[in-house]
Amino acid sequence: VREFGTRGSGEGQLENPRGLAFTGEGELAVADAGNDRVQVLGEDGTFVRSIGSRGTGEGMFHYPRDVCVCGDGRIAVADYLNYRVQVFDG
C-alpha cells in the first residue's frame, strides 16, 4: 500500500481529494476539490504539476470532482460547481 499527499494547499498537498486516474506514464492525476485544482503526482507521489485554480474562466475550477485520462493523454475534468467538463492536453 502506498500513500500520497498530506492535508493542505501546497504542492503535493490535498484538500478533499476526489476522483483520480493514472496516466500512460504512470503519473497520478487527482481532482483536488478543496483546492479547486487537479494535481499530477509522480509514481512515488512527488509533485509534477498542477492544472487550474478557483474560478469560472477557461482552465479554472470550482470543486473539480473527477478526472479521466483519455487514450491520447488528454485529461478530462468534471468541474462540478461550474456545471461543465473541461479537457486539457496531457
Side-chain angles (χ1 to χ4, degrees):
V1 173
R2 291 191 220 173
E3 185 175 305
F4 298 100
T6 58
R7 185 175 186 183
S9 60
E11 292 182 350
Q13 293 184 315
L14 303 165
E15 187 68 42
N16 198 9
R18 302 293 290 185
L20 50 91
F22 281 99
T23 69
E25 292 78 35
E27 296 171 335
L28 182 63
V30 182
D32 186 7
N35 288 316
D36 298 301
R37 64 187 176 187
V38 171
Q39 290 203 71
V40 180
L41 306 175
E43 289 185 48
D44 60 355
T46 57
F47 176 80
V48 175
R49 69 182 180 279
S50 183
I51 302 169
S53 61
R54 185 174 185 137
T56 59
E58 186 176 305
M60 301 175 91
F61 303 115
H62 190 181
Y63 204 81
R65 195 159 182 170
D66 204 2
V67 295
C68 174
V69 178
C70 306
D72 61 3
R74 292 177 299 156
I75 298 174
V77 182
D79 189 8
Y80 182 63
L81 292 178
N82 278 330
Y83 310 99
R84 64 187 178 187
V85 172
Q86 294 191 71
V87 181
F88 299 85
D89 291 334

XYZ file of all heavy atoms in Angstrom:
674
model
N 0.846 -1.174 0.000
C 0.000 0.000 0.000
C 0.888 1.233 0.000
O 1.836 1.318 0.773
C -0.925 0.022 1.236
C -1.693 1.320 1.321
C -1.850 -1.166 1.226
N 0.558 2.197 -0.876
C 1.276 3.479 -0.911
C 0.323 4.585 -0.473
O -0.883 4.482 -0.663
C 1.747 3.791 -2.319
C 2.832 2.899 -2.807
C 3.397 3.462 -4.087
N 3.655 2.395 -5.018
C 4.024 2.577 -6.260
N 4.138 3.787 -6.747
N 4.259 1.561 -7.041
N 0.890 5.626 0.064
C 0.102 6.780 0.495
C 0.713 8.027 -0.118
O 1.925 8.206 -0.104
C 0.145 6.867 2.013
C -0.732 7.943 2.586
C -0.738 7.905 4.105
O -1.035 6.845 4.670
O -0.424 8.946 4.697
N -0.155 8.886 -0.680
C 0.302 10.104 -1.340
C -0.326 11.320 -0.682
O -1.508 11.326 -0.369
C -0.109 10.117 -2.823
C 0.482 9.008 -3.629
C -0.252 7.879 -3.924
C 1.772 9.101 -4.111
C 0.290 6.857 -4.683
C 2.330 8.087 -4.870
C 1.576 6.956 -5.153
N 0.479 12.373 -0.516
C -0.023 13.670 -0.081
C -0.265 13.786 1.408
O -0.303 12.813 2.149
N -0.424 15.045 1.798
C -0.818 15.411 3.149
C -1.873 16.499 3.002
O -2.067 17.052 1.917
C 0.374 15.958 3.967
O 0.923 17.098 3.290
C 1.447 14.907 4.154
N -2.535 16.838 4.084
C -3.576 17.858 4.014
C -2.960 19.243 3.902
O -2.009 19.580 4.611
C -4.448 17.802 5.258
C -5.611 18.751 5.179
C -6.521 18.607 6.359
N -7.698 19.443 6.145
C -8.662 19.577 7.015
N -8.610 18.910 8.149
N -9.679 20.348 6.756
N -3.487 20.048 2.974
C -3.018 21.406 2.817
C -3.238 21.920 1.416
O -3.926 21.298 0.608
N -2.622 23.057 1.119
C -2.818 23.705 -0.184
C -1.517 23.873 -0.967
O -1.518 24.472 -2.038
C -3.482 25.066 -0.007
O -2.674 25.898 0.802
N -0.424 23.348 -0.459
C 0.848 23.454 -1.161
C 0.985 22.414 -2.262
O 0.103 21.581 -2.477
N 2.113 22.446 -2.954
C 2.375 21.469 -4.000
C 2.420 20.073 -3.395
O 3.121 19.830 -2.423
C 3.698 21.778 -4.705
C 3.661 23.047 -5.507
C 4.966 23.310 -6.242
O 5.978 22.621 -5.991
O 4.968 24.224 -7.074
N 1.630 19.169 -3.961
C 1.572 17.806 -3.468
C 0.671 17.610 -2.266
O 0.444 16.480 -1.843
N 0.133 18.693 -1.713
C -0.818 18.595 -0.609
C -2.236 18.601 -1.174
O -2.488 19.176 -2.238
C -0.638 19.751 0.363
C 0.682 19.707 1.098
C 0.784 20.809 2.125
O 0.449 21.957 1.863
N 1.247 20.445 3.317
N -3.158 17.971 -0.465
C -4.523 17.798 -0.951
C -5.536 18.245 0.082
O -5.311 18.108 1.277
C -4.760 16.316 -1.290
C -3.800 15.702 -2.302
C -3.888 14.191 -2.267
C -4.079 16.246 -3.692
N -6.661 18.740 -0.403
C -7.787 19.118 0.444
C -9.048 18.550 -0.209
O -9.511 19.062 -1.219
C -7.879 20.644 0.568
C -8.916 21.132 1.546
C -8.574 20.806 2.994
O -7.405 20.952 3.398
O -9.493 20.398 3.729
N -9.547 17.478 0.364
C -10.733 16.776 -0.153
C -10.481 16.192 -1.552
O -11.175 16.527 -2.514
C -11.957 17.689 -0.153
C -13.253 16.911 -0.265
O -13.272 15.689 -0.182
N -14.336 17.612 -0.466
N -9.491 15.308 -1.678
C -9.264 14.666 -2.974
C -10.463 13.822 -3.373
O -11.060 13.153 -2.525
C -8.020 13.802 -2.734
C -7.976 13.576 -1.268
C -8.597 14.788 -0.643
N -10.815 13.862 -4.638
C -11.985 13.124 -5.130
C -11.524 12.091 -6.151
O -10.820 11.166 -5.817
C -13.006 14.096 -5.715
C -13.493 15.173 -4.752
C -14.293 14.626 -3.616
N -15.563 14.145 -4.112
C -16.530 13.697 -3.370
N -16.395 13.650 -2.082
N -17.651 13.270 -3.897
N -11.879 12.272 -7.413
C -11.537 11.287 -8.429
C -10.063 11.306 -8.778
O -9.360 12.292 -8.562
N -9.602 10.178 -9.305
C -8.207 10.085 -9.725
C -8.082 9.113 -10.883
O -8.949 8.290 -11.119
C -7.315 9.661 -8.558
C -7.748 8.441 -7.747
C -7.159 7.180 -8.298
C -7.327 8.642 -6.306
N -6.979 9.263 -11.614
C -6.711 8.387 -12.756
C -5.217 8.362 -13.027
O -4.530 9.376 -12.860
C -7.457 8.882 -13.990
N -4.716 7.213 -13.453
C -3.318 7.091 -13.834
C -3.142 7.457 -15.303
O -3.976 7.117 -16.138
C -2.802 5.672 -13.594
C -2.468 5.392 -12.166
C -3.363 4.715 -11.350
C -1.265 5.824 -11.619
C -3.054 4.458 -10.024
C -0.956 5.578 -10.289
C -1.856 4.888 -9.493
N -2.061 8.149 -15.601
C -1.714 8.471 -16.982
C -0.942 7.302 -17.582
O -0.527 6.386 -16.859
C -0.831 9.736 -17.064
O 0.457 9.427 -16.509
C -1.463 10.922 -16.326
N -0.716 7.346 -18.873
C 0.071 6.319 -19.539
C 1.510 6.276 -19.067
O 2.191 5.258 -19.215
N 1.991 7.375 -18.470
C 3.359 7.445 -17.955
C 3.449 6.989 -16.495
O 4.509 7.075 -15.876
C 3.908 8.873 -18.072
C 4.139 9.340 -19.502
C 2.839 9.746 -20.194
O 1.936 10.296 -19.518
O 2.718 9.486 -21.398
N 2.327 6.557 -15.928
C 2.326 6.106 -14.546
C 2.132 7.206 -13.535
O 2.220 6.964 -12.328
N 1.883 8.433 -13.995
C 1.604 9.536 -13.074
C 0.152 9.429 -12.606
O -0.678 8.797 -13.252
C 1.844 10.874 -13.756
C 3.289 11.089 -14.158
C 3.493 12.314 -15.020
O 2.543 12.752 -15.702
O 4.621 12.816 -15.024
N -0.144 10.060 -11.482
C -1.478 10.023 -10.909
C -2.093 11.418 -10.959
O -1.553 12.355 -10.373
C -1.408 9.530 -9.461
C -2.718 9.374 -8.709
C -3.599 8.313 -9.361
C -2.456 9.011 -7.252
N -3.211 11.558 -11.668
C -3.952 12.822 -11.722
C -5.050 12.760 -10.665
O -5.842 11.814 -10.636
C -4.560 13.029 -13.103
N -5.093 13.763 -9.784
C -6.031 13.779 -8.659
C -6.882 15.043 -8.712
O -6.349 16.159 -8.784
C -5.272 13.755 -7.310
C -6.252 13.729 -6.143
C -4.317 12.570 -7.237
N -8.195 14.877 -8.658
C -9.096 16.023 -8.530
C -9.018 16.502 -7.083
O -9.546 15.866 -6.178
C -10.527 15.628 -8.899
N -8.326 17.604 -6.869
C -8.102 18.185 -5.543
C -9.211 19.209 -5.300
O -9.017 20.417 -5.401
C -6.708 18.823 -5.524
C -6.282 19.332 -4.166
O -7.000 19.091 -3.177
O -5.223 19.981 -4.102
N -10.402 18.698 -4.978
C -11.615 19.512 -4.966
C -11.533 20.707 -4.028
O -11.940 21.814 -4.379
C -12.822 18.644 -4.602
N -11.020 20.517 -2.829
C -10.962 21.599 -1.853
C -10.012 22.718 -2.222
O -10.127 23.829 -1.717
N -9.058 22.430 -3.112
C -8.131 23.454 -3.590
C -8.444 23.898 -5.013
O -7.670 24.653 -5.611
C -6.684 22.935 -3.512
C -6.182 22.854 -2.090
O -6.383 23.759 -1.297
N -5.531 21.750 -1.754
N -9.563 23.416 -5.562
C -10.031 23.829 -6.895
C -8.954 23.673 -7.965
O -8.679 24.594 -8.738
C -10.549 25.273 -6.859
C -11.732 25.421 -5.921
O -12.742 24.733 -6.143
O -11.639 26.191 -4.951
N -8.358 22.480 -8.020
C -7.316 22.208 -9.000
C -7.211 20.708 -9.229
O -7.794 19.911 -8.494
C -5.961 22.734 -8.511
C -5.480 22.034 -7.245
C -4.243 22.645 -6.661
N -3.887 21.988 -5.397
C -2.939 22.403 -4.612
N -2.229 23.472 -4.913
N -2.668 21.756 -3.485
N -6.443 20.341 -10.232
C -6.049 18.955 -10.443
C -4.544 18.911 -10.249
O -3.821 19.741 -10.797
C -6.424 18.469 -11.867
C -5.804 17.106 -12.153
C -7.934 18.418 -12.028
N -4.082 17.973 -9.449
C -2.649 17.812 -9.269
C -2.208 16.520 -9.943
O -2.917 15.515 -9.904
C -2.284 17.751 -7.791
C -2.467 19.090 -7.098
C -1.614 19.162 -5.859
O -0.399 19.247 -5.945
N -2.261 19.134 -4.706
N -1.055 16.575 -10.552
C -0.448 15.398 -11.154
C 0.771 15.052 -10.313
O 1.644 15.895 -10.092
C -0.069 15.655 -12.630
C 0.573 14.412 -13.229
C -1.296 16.072 -13.438
N 0.791 13.812 -9.838
C 1.861 13.334 -8.966
C 2.628 12.221 -9.667
O 2.051 11.437 -10.424
C 1.277 12.800 -7.650
C 0.356 13.757 -6.888
C -0.243 13.058 -5.675
C 1.092 15.012 -6.473
N 3.912 12.138 -9.402
C 4.737 11.082 -9.962
C 4.435 9.740 -9.314
O 3.705 9.659 -8.325
N 5.021 8.683 -9.858
C 4.794 7.332 -9.331
C 5.144 7.217 -7.858
O 4.553 6.420 -7.134
C 5.611 6.310 -10.121
C 5.098 6.080 -11.522
C 5.861 4.974 -12.231
O 6.050 3.898 -11.627
O 6.250 5.196 -13.386
N 6.082 8.029 -7.401
C 6.494 7.999 -5.994
C 5.749 9.036 -5.147
O 6.051 9.227 -3.973
C 7.996 8.220 -5.876
C 8.441 9.567 -6.446
O 7.601 10.291 -7.022
O 9.633 9.889 -6.326
N 4.768 9.719 -5.737
C 3.958 10.694 -5.014
C 4.490 12.109 -5.040
O 3.873 13.011 -4.489
N 5.615 12.346 -5.709
C 6.160 13.702 -5.783
C 5.322 14.565 -6.725
O 4.757 14.085 -7.704
C 7.618 13.697 -6.269
O 7.679 13.054 -7.537
C 8.517 12.989 -5.280
N 5.258 15.844 -6.425
C 4.518 16.801 -7.235
C 5.154 16.928 -8.619
O 6.361 17.103 -8.738
C 4.515 18.167 -6.537
C 3.863 19.252 -7.333
C 2.490 19.378 -7.361
C 4.632 20.143 -8.068
C 1.887 20.387 -8.095
C 4.043 21.149 -8.798
C 2.666 21.270 -8.819
N 4.321 16.834 -9.670
C 4.782 17.020 -11.048
C 4.267 18.346 -11.590
O 5.028 19.170 -12.068
C 4.330 15.852 -11.956
C 4.699 16.104 -13.407
C 4.931 14.544 -11.470
N 2.957 18.560 -11.505
C 2.369 19.804 -11.983
C 0.945 19.950 -11.452
O 0.352 19.014 -10.956
C 2.372 19.882 -13.509
C 1.439 18.929 -14.205
C 1.567 19.058 -15.731
N 0.695 18.162 -16.440
C 0.930 16.881 -16.681
N 2.021 16.325 -16.241
N 0.064 16.147 -17.355
N 0.427 21.161 -11.586
C -0.931 21.472 -11.182
C -1.667 22.068 -12.374
O -1.072 22.767 -13.188
C -0.898 22.486 -10.027
O -2.187 22.762 -9.567
N -2.950 21.759 -12.460
C -3.799 22.293 -13.526
C -4.921 23.077 -12.868
O -5.638 22.542 -12.020
C -4.394 21.163 -14.391
C -3.288 20.309 -15.011
C -5.317 21.718 -15.461
C -3.791 19.020 -15.648
N -5.095 24.335 -13.256
C -6.232 25.124 -12.818
C -6.079 25.810 -11.476
O -5.103 25.638 -10.754
N -7.094 26.611 -11.186
C -7.235 27.335 -9.928
C -8.716 27.675 -9.785
O -9.507 27.414 -10.691
C -6.388 28.607 -9.932
O -6.809 29.468 -10.979
N -9.094 28.286 -8.667
C -10.517 28.576 -8.442
C -11.009 29.708 -9.347
O -10.358 30.734 -9.477
C -10.775 28.949 -7.004
C -12.279 29.128 -6.778
C -12.643 29.363 -5.353
N -14.090 29.405 -5.261
C -14.784 28.820 -4.323
N -14.185 28.148 -3.390
N -16.086 28.920 -4.308
N -12.161 29.481 -9.948
C -12.783 30.500 -10.770
C -13.754 29.895 -11.762
O -14.027 28.692 -11.736
N -14.258 30.746 -12.645
C -15.239 30.301 -13.630
C -14.720 30.374 -15.059
O -15.394 29.941 -15.978
C -16.526 31.149 -13.532
O -16.188 32.532 -13.756
C -17.180 30.995 -12.167
N -13.538 30.915 -15.247
C -12.979 31.057 -16.583
C -12.431 29.752 -17.130
O -12.394 28.716 -16.452
N -11.984 29.824 -18.376
C -11.387 28.662 -19.022
C -10.158 28.214 -18.239
O -9.312 29.021 -17.860
C -10.993 29.031 -20.459
C -10.490 27.868 -21.265
C -10.211 28.275 -22.698
O -11.136 28.805 -23.355
O -9.079 28.079 -23.146
N -10.082 26.912 -17.961
C -8.951 26.377 -17.213
C -9.057 26.554 -15.709
O -8.140 26.209 -14.977
N -10.179 27.076 -15.239
C -10.398 27.282 -13.802
C -11.501 26.330 -13.335
O -12.332 25.893 -14.133
C -10.784 28.731 -13.528
C -9.730 29.724 -13.992
S -10.267 31.420 -13.787
C -9.637 31.719 -12.149
N -11.496 26.026 -12.029
C -12.449 25.070 -11.473
C -13.160 25.631 -10.256
O -12.670 26.525 -9.585
C -11.726 23.794 -11.011
C -10.926 23.106 -12.069
C -9.548 23.012 -11.954
C -11.532 22.545 -13.169
C -8.788 22.361 -12.912
C -10.788 21.900 -14.139
C -9.417 21.804 -14.011
N -14.306 25.027 -9.975
C -14.988 25.212 -8.698
C -15.427 23.823 -8.265
O -16.440 23.307 -8.713
C -16.176 26.157 -8.819
C -16.751 26.548 -7.501
N -17.829 27.371 -7.401
C -16.399 26.247 -6.227
C -18.125 27.547 -6.119
N -17.266 26.862 -5.396
N -14.619 23.206 -7.422
C -14.825 21.869 -6.886
C -14.751 20.791 -7.975
O -15.734 20.115 -8.271
C -16.153 21.782 -6.135
C -16.188 20.684 -5.094
C -15.622 20.870 -3.850
C -16.794 19.474 -5.370
C -15.642 19.860 -2.903
C -16.824 18.465 -4.428
C -16.248 18.659 -3.196
O -16.271 17.664 -2.257
N -13.577 20.617 -8.563
C -13.433 19.526 -9.541
C -13.659 18.187 -8.841
O -13.086 17.933 -7.778
C -11.994 19.672 -10.025
C -11.278 20.365 -8.922
C -12.298 21.272 -8.295
N -14.497 17.368 -9.432
C -14.935 16.166 -8.729
C -14.347 14.864 -9.259
O -14.253 13.885 -8.538
C -16.454 16.106 -8.781
C -17.034 15.139 -7.812
C -18.445 15.473 -7.540
N -18.980 14.552 -6.547
C -20.122 14.709 -5.974
N -20.867 15.745 -6.268
N -20.549 13.837 -5.107
N -13.982 14.833 -10.529
C -13.463 13.599 -11.092
C -12.543 13.907 -12.259
O -12.639 14.986 -12.862
C -14.608 12.699 -11.561
C -14.233 11.230 -11.617
O -13.087 10.878 -11.260
O -15.086 10.414 -12.002
N -11.644 12.986 -12.549
C -10.740 13.114 -13.689
C -10.723 11.811 -14.470
O -10.959 10.740 -13.913
C -9.290 13.471 -13.271
C -9.217 14.832 -12.632
C -8.705 12.429 -12.359
N -10.436 11.929 -15.753
C -10.290 10.778 -16.624
C -9.130 11.070 -17.564
O -9.048 12.168 -18.123
C -11.574 10.560 -17.418
S -11.452 9.257 -18.656
N -8.242 10.121 -17.719
C -7.147 10.282 -18.673
C -7.533 9.518 -19.929
O -7.774 8.303 -19.886
C -5.816 9.780 -18.101
C -4.710 9.910 -19.135
C -5.451 10.562 -16.841
N -7.623 10.237 -21.040
C -8.013 9.642 -22.318
C -6.836 8.875 -22.917
O -5.686 9.082 -22.529
C -8.462 10.739 -23.285
S -9.768 11.785 -22.608
N -7.121 8.021 -23.866
C -6.096 7.213 -24.505
C -4.994 8.025 -25.157
O -3.852 7.572 -25.257
N -5.309 9.244 -25.587
C -4.303 10.098 -26.227
C -3.580 11.008 -25.229
O -2.816 11.879 -25.614
C -4.939 10.930 -27.332
C -6.026 11.868 -26.833
O -6.267 11.941 -25.609
O -6.653 12.537 -27.683
N -3.843 10.805 -23.924
C -3.142 11.566 -22.893
C -3.866 12.798 -22.396
O -3.452 13.406 -21.411
N -4.963 13.201 -23.063
C -5.718 14.355 -22.561
C -6.343 14.021 -21.213
O -6.642 12.872 -20.923
C -6.801 14.760 -23.553
C -6.242 15.328 -24.847
C -7.325 15.666 -25.840
N -8.060 14.437 -26.165
C -9.316 14.415 -26.611
N -9.972 15.534 -26.802
N -9.908 13.266 -26.875
N -6.534 15.056 -20.399
C -7.124 14.891 -19.076
C -8.471 15.605 -19.058
O -8.541 16.822 -19.257
C -6.196 15.460 -17.976
C -4.860 14.699 -17.977
C -6.869 15.379 -16.610
C -3.823 15.274 -17.041
N -9.547 14.833 -18.848
C -10.902 15.385 -18.764
C -11.253 15.551 -17.289
O -11.009 14.653 -16.477
C -11.898 14.463 -19.449
N -11.817 16.719 -16.952
C -12.119 17.046 -15.559
C -13.595 17.402 -15.425
O -14.098 18.271 -16.143
C -11.255 18.235 -15.068
C -11.549 18.540 -13.606
C -9.775 17.955 -15.293
N -14.286 16.735 -14.497
C -15.672 17.076 -14.164
C -15.619 18.248 -13.181
O -15.249 18.082 -12.019
C -16.384 15.884 -13.544
N -15.948 19.431 -13.678
C -15.891 20.683 -12.916
C -17.265 20.899 -12.278
O -18.108 21.626 -12.791
C -15.492 21.812 -13.874
C -15.193 23.111 -13.183
O -15.138 23.138 -11.941
O -15.001 24.111 -13.902
N -17.477 20.255 -11.140
C -18.788 20.062 -10.529
C -19.615 21.340 -10.342
O -20.724 21.439 -10.840
C -18.580 19.348 -9.193
C -19.818 19.017 -8.426
C -20.764 18.141 -8.939
C -20.047 19.559 -7.168
C -21.895 17.810 -8.227
C -21.167 19.231 -6.439
C -22.096 18.358 -6.969
O -23.210 18.042 -6.247
N -19.104 22.325 -9.640
C -19.914 23.509 -9.337
C -19.855 24.585 -10.421
O -20.511 25.623 -10.302
C -19.544 24.078 -7.964
C -19.947 23.163 -6.785
C -19.504 23.771 -5.458
C -21.440 22.898 -6.778
N -19.091 24.333 -11.484
C -19.171 25.175 -12.689
C -20.035 24.493 -13.746
O -20.184 25.016 -14.847
C -17.780 25.475 -13.257
C -17.093 26.623 -12.549
O -17.744 27.533 -12.043
N -15.769 26.585 -12.493
N -20.558 23.311 -13.437
C -21.515 22.593 -14.289
C -20.973 22.333 -15.687
O -21.635 22.597 -16.684
C -22.851 23.357 -14.356
C -23.365 23.724 -12.994
C -23.170 25.012 -12.498
C -23.980 22.787 -12.193
C -23.620 25.350 -11.214
C -24.427 23.117 -10.917
C -24.239 24.394 -10.434
O -24.665 24.727 -9.177
N -19.745 21.811 -15.763
C -19.131 21.567 -17.074
C -18.031 20.516 -16.965
O -17.632 20.112 -15.880
C -18.532 22.858 -17.620
C -17.392 23.402 -16.769
C -16.911 24.750 -17.223
N -15.853 25.262 -16.350
C -15.352 26.447 -16.429
N -15.767 27.297 -17.369
N -14.399 26.843 -15.601
N -17.572 20.103 -18.127
C -16.407 19.232 -18.244
C -15.370 20.003 -19.049
O -15.711 20.616 -20.074
C -16.754 17.909 -18.949
C -15.494 17.103 -19.239
C -17.745 17.095 -18.122
N -14.129 19.996 -18.596
C -13.044 20.640 -19.343
C -12.021 19.560 -19.712
O -11.787 18.641 -18.937
C -12.371 21.709 -18.486
C -13.294 22.879 -18.164
C -12.524 24.012 -17.559
O -11.750 24.687 -18.251
N -12.716 24.248 -16.266
N -11.438 19.709 -20.885
C -10.464 18.734 -21.374
C -9.145 19.466 -21.638
O -9.118 20.480 -22.347
C -10.960 18.029 -22.656
C -9.949 17.009 -23.124
C -12.326 17.365 -22.399
N -8.059 18.930 -21.086
C -6.734 19.541 -21.171
C -5.782 18.612 -21.899
O -5.866 17.388 -21.754
C -6.183 19.809 -19.763
C -7.031 20.741 -18.959
C -8.123 20.266 -18.244
C -6.755 22.095 -18.924
C -8.912 21.123 -17.507
C -7.534 22.969 -18.197
C -8.631 22.479 -17.479
N -4.823 19.195 -22.627
C -3.771 18.392 -23.217
C -2.945 17.801 -22.095
O -2.717 18.437 -21.066
C -2.862 19.254 -24.111
C -3.591 19.729 -25.360
O -4.542 19.052 -25.797
O -3.198 20.772 -25.909
N -2.502 16.552 -22.299
C -1.717 15.852 -21.268
C -0.386 16.470 -21.130
O 0.259 16.595 -20.178
